[in-house]
Amino acid sequence: MSRLTSTATCTAHSAIVEQTGQVVPQPLLAQRVSWLTGLARDLTADLVAARWSAAGLDALACGVGLDGRVLPAKGWMALRRLGWGVSPAAGVHMCDRVARCVQEQVARTMRLALHRRAVVAAIVATWPRDPGRRTDAEWDALQAVLPDGAGAAEIRNRTRQVRAYRDAHDGQLPADLTELEGPPACAAQIVLAAADRQLATLERTGERSARLRVKLPLTASPASARDWAWHVLPIALPPTVPAEAKLCTPTLRVAKGRVRVDLPFQTPIGFAPATGHVIGCGFDWELSALLTGTVGRLTADGRVVSDGRPLVYDASGVSAKLHRLRAEREHLAAKRECQERLLAGLASTDARFAALSAAYEVIDREHERVCARIRNLNKALAWSAARWAVDQALASGATVIYLENLATLEARGRRGRANARLSGQVRGQIVEAVRHLAAKSAIAVVTVAARGTSKYCPRCGDGTSVLRHCPAPDRLAERGWAWAWCPACGLSCDRDWAAAERILARGLLGQQATRTDRTTGTRSIAAVVEGNVARARRPRKATRAARRARRTRTDLHPRPAARDRAKNRPTPKRPTRASKTSSRVPDRRTVPAPLPSRGGQRPAGQAPQTTRPAGRTGLARDPHHRTGFHRVAATPVLPLGQYADGPPRPRLPDLPEILR
């Protein structure tokens, strides 16, 4: 058994001064917490700015202190061994535990800068001839020197940053990260994880409640120990924190006038092995939607057999909404920059300065609102897609999920534009969410190489049969992207479905080459093992009519007896309606009525649909298979029976997690 660390954001609405019993309301509590977080932010920014140089980053990267000992993993201990001390302003008193929290935040900031420094150094060392489009040889050279965990979006953004620096400095490339960018901004927060009982304690008082005891300043500039007092903050735990979870020391911050408590907690989870998997799920990043997957089984003779059912998470509606929000964000940013230039050319005594400043503040607030909306929608979409993918793995009895490695995913042409559009949907967040949710169910998540998954045929499996991409199955002679056709074996299916089958085959056949990163714990398969994927339909259970026909040895579909066509009586008159309705009034409701099990009105948003979109199989939009969005169509999570020659799949009562 191991432990999974998660974070729940709670709110402290009030506090009690421990010595006097005074009740501190929320506005006063937020003010006192802001004094503490502001003090920590100022000290963190000063120390980062003082050490923001190539020599400072080299001292932290070497991993050895001034006394020759190896730097510990804890950030504040590493900085003290390097001699990076913290000194408050004159006349300000604080305990040593606050200095610990400041040093811990500085260490985390500088260690993140070391990763960015390694990415920039790799890009500069392998600078391509055309930064907008690297060749295969240039990509191979870059991948050889990149640090672990560098994705395609990060490579693209850092390449643009280096190119902008080169254009501004007459073709000269930056020598270090410190030349490329200034010291990073520091958040107004206090990391209490670096402190001990002399600054903060945490105690769980119930299944849904906890109590945080922390020492806060009573003034903005505390001059002595008398200006600090112990405060007891009651915290209501959200339902996502289970009763058996272990609570860890939180981080305090102030957001929108409220005290936010970022509370980490650890839950026990089972161990997911890296090898030995028989049933797995493979998912591909789709062009028009978001995810396309398939379920397969590794047979005893080393073949991969798929159940022949595509799993599709179609978020094209949400993607279009994100595209419109990003366009609005860029428009507001352009207007804000224009007003900044106008304000720079006006004096503060000018009569137009006040009106222009007010307009600038309005546009700036609107820009922040749109950015927050995009972030929230990206986060919600990422967790919804991850929950759906893990539910599909649970329903199929899979023990592993295979995804494309984002570090090797870089497309060109029309797919490149689609990937740039989907980059706003934070594929990295989806991968992290899938890892987090899969760990709770002891399901392994492994990334495989992305190159060539959409190019070659999964049925041939030799890595040489190139697929032809066309717009539709009835337009094989035209060039397109949505449909794949193999001239060698005749395979005709959705392009991303074929890619998902190849991802699954690479994972199941190459699972012996799985490598686990010691730092992050992520698993990946760098070796490419090719193999064909066969599609097996599930045997259907005989119907009652078929069993009766087999038992009585009769025809399953007998021909009906001939009718007597003799006209020996008049045709009876049809009954007429009591009241004739107009032909313009429909006989059925245009909006579905509420379900019998639910009372009240239909939920807001788009009406549930049971029709399948054109070109999609297995998609459903109904209240029983909701994904959290009204404009998302996803394959329903259904536990199916036995397929191929494998064991039967789990039934619905054995999988209560998929209903959450």
Side-chain angles (χ1 to χ4, degrees), residues 22-64:
Q22 176 189 0
V23 178
V24 181
Q26 184 176 5
L28 182 57
L29 177 62
Q31 185 182 29
R32 293 181 179 180
V33 173
S34 64
W35 288 339
L36 178 59
T37 56
L39 177 62
R41 178 195 56 196
D42 296 340
L43 295 176
T44 302
D46 294 341
L47 185 54
V48 169
R51 300 294 178 176
W52 188 252
S53 62
L57 294 177
D58 291 338
L60 185 61
C62 69
V64 180

Side-chain angles (χ1 to χ4, degrees), residues 256 324-340 358-376:
K256 297 181 180 181
R324 293 192 298 269
L325 288 175
R326 286 194 293 267
E328 183 180 358
R329 179 188 60 185
E330 297 299 329
H331 176 67
L332 292 173
K335 293 181 66 176
R336 186 179 60 177
E337 292 178 0
C338 179
Q339 291 187 353
E340 285 180 354
Y360 174 80
E361 293 178 359
V362 171
I363 293 179
D364 186 63
R365 287 195 302 267
E366 183 68 16
H367 181 268
E368 291 296 331
R369 187 190 64 83
V370 173
C371 291
R373 194 175 178 186
I374 293 175
R375 288 194 301 268
N376 295 335

Side-chain angles (χ1 to χ4, degrees), residues 89-93 221-224:
V92 177
H93 172 81
S221 300
S224 63

